[in-house]
Amino acid sequence: MTYDINTLDVSIGLTNPKSPANVGAILRAAGCYQAGQIFYSGSRYDNAAKFHTDTKNASLDIPLQQTPCLLQAKPAGAKLVCVDLVEGAQPLPEFEHPQQAYYVFGPEDGTIDQAIIDAADAVVYVPTKGCMNLAASVNVILYDRLAKNASRNQGDELIRRSRDVNNKVKVR
């Protein structure tokens, strides 16, 4: 039996994102890794949303909702996992992802509010030298969740369903 990520198990929170390119890339990652919904705080993204950066139109299937408070948007039953370079955080390679997770990420030019960090079930960071781009951070966290799931869906059928229509290459 293969395991497909349940879209209700993964939600994303973005702290006042400023870049429409990052939000578009996060929407694409959410589609690839089957996240169920994305919440964002602040108004900077709303000001930049006119730039269409959701190249796979993931927003048609994945709700992208503005919220005044990322804590209030936490789905029922989900564990709050903050992802940011904050002192005392756990390195991602040592982190065990909860079944239901609400991953909250800091903005490109700031950090997650202390109140959200204080309410978190876990705080993790990606052990890189320097900070990563917001969209890259979301991709790394969601990939790590997938990679650590021993019963993940994989193989040629997944490749055939996932690849671009112009890709018919096979390993011989």
Side-chain angles (χ1 to χ4, degrees), residues 24 71 74-75 82 126:
L71 277 177
K74 183 175 88 66
C82 292
V126 180

Side-chain angles (χ1 to χ4, degrees), residues 4-23:
D4 282 321
I5 297 172
N6 182 341
T7 58
L8 299 177
D9 287 346
V10 179
S11 298
I12 297 169
L14 306 173
T15 305
N16 199 19
K18 69 176 183 175
S19 164
N22 269 337
V23 175

